[in-house]
Amino acid sequence: MRLLKHHEKKLLKKVDFYSWKQDKNVREASIIRKYRLQDREDYVEYSHMVGSITKLVSRLKKLPTDNIDRKEMIDQLMDRLFNLGVITTKSSLSTLDKVTVSSFCRRRLPVVMVRLKMSENLKEACTLIEQGHVRVGPNVITDTSFIVTRWLEDYVTWKDSSKIKRAVMQYNDKVDDYDLLQ
């Protein structure tokens, strides 16, 4: 490598290669790494959703408390976010302030699979989903960014023809003779 000239050294003193303004620095990278987001666009999409939710909540807080429209909109927003699983309770408007990108990431299919003890870690869960071993309800899901709602969480299972399901059933001594023929 050649030695840098004087003006090049001065320019490099002003540049920080570790944190760029457009990268949202460390928080974005840590969330992408923690939840194994494969596309940065997923993080950006969740971030935009959180931004629009906080903007809506701040506008709702400015309305008078006895306004009927305010109450209806708060109820609709809280119902939707509760059904999605982003918030844990529908108690007050202050719970909507706690919505973050991580709360959306916790509802992704690989994270739900780890929580349901279907796999040991997120990497394994992602590969099982991409290989087509997991179904949610009647549909086989191959997209790791699939958001599992609170009501669909009970229907996350193995695909019927999956070898993993067969191995689990053999381990539990619940294999049917008909299943062995397939």
Side-chain angles (χ1 to χ4, degrees):
M1 186 171 105
R2 70 174 178 84
L3 293 174
L4 297 176
K5 296 179 182 174
H6 176 70
H7 69 281
E8 292 172 335
K9 287 181 186 177
K10 288 196 72 105
L11 283 174
L12 282 177
K13 285 182 183 178
K14 297 177 184 177
V15 178
D16 183 13
F17 288 111
Y18 294 111
S19 61
W20 295 85
K21 290 179 185 174
Q22 65 201 22
D23 287 343
K24 304 286 188 285
N25 296 337
V26 180
R27 181 177 294 152
E28 178 181 344
S30 66
I31 289 176
I32 288 173
R33 199 175 321 112
K34 180 178 180 181
Y35 294 106
R36 289 193 66 85
L37 301 180
Q38 292 162 338
D39 296 327
R40 184 181 173 276
E41 289 79 29
D42 290 339
Y43 178 86
V44 172
E45 183 179 336
Y46 299 149
S47 179
H48 286 300
M49 284 192 285
V50 169
S52 62
I53 289 169
T54 54
K55 190 182 294 184
L56 181 63
V57 168
S58 68
R59 287 185 181 168
L60 287 173
K61 284 182 178 179
K62 290 179 183 177
L63 291 175
T65 57
D66 59 343
N67 191 343
I68 297 170
D69 293 332
R70 176 183 188 233
K71 292 177 183 176
E72 288 179 17
M73 291 178 70
I74 289 172
D75 288 340
Q76 287 177 356
L77 182 63
M78 290 182 104
D79 284 340
R80 186 161 294 175
L81 291 176
F82 180 77
N83 291 339
L84 193 60
V86 175
I87 58 174
T88 56
T89 59
K90 296 189 277 186
S91 60
S92 67
L93 193 59
S94 64
T95 59
L96 296 177
D97 290 333
K98 298 175 185 172
V99 174
T100 60
V101 174
S102 294
S103 56
F104 280 100
C105 290
R106 281 186 226 113
R107 300 307 304 174
R108 291 169 57 95
L109 184 57
V111 178
V112 171
M113 283 180 60
V114 170
R115 193 173 341 115
L116 293 175
K117 307 250 190 277
M118 290 177 72
S119 70
E120 291 184 24
N121 52 31
L122 287 174
K123 182 178 180 181
E124 180 181 321
C126 289
T127 56
L128 291 173
I129 292 167
E130 289 169 351
Q131 291 173 357
H133 290 284
V134 181
R135 71 182 168 108
V136 178
N139 303 326
V140 175
I141 305 297
T142 57
D143 184 20
T144 58
S145 63
F146 182 79
I147 299 288
V148 180
T149 62
R150 189 178 297 275
W151 312 120
L152 282 178
E153 190 171 344
D154 296 334
Y155 299 106
V156 176
T157 57
W158 300 112
K159 189 171 95 173
D160 289 334
S161 62
S162 174
K163 291 187 177 187
I164 296 170
K165 181 177 181 178
R166 183 176 293 172
V168 169
M169 290 178 75
Q170 283 178 347
Y171 180 77
N172 293 331
D173 290 330
K174 294 183 180 180
V175 178
D176 190 17
D177 292 337
Y178 179 74
D179 292 333
L180 290 174
L181 295 175
Q182 292 179 352

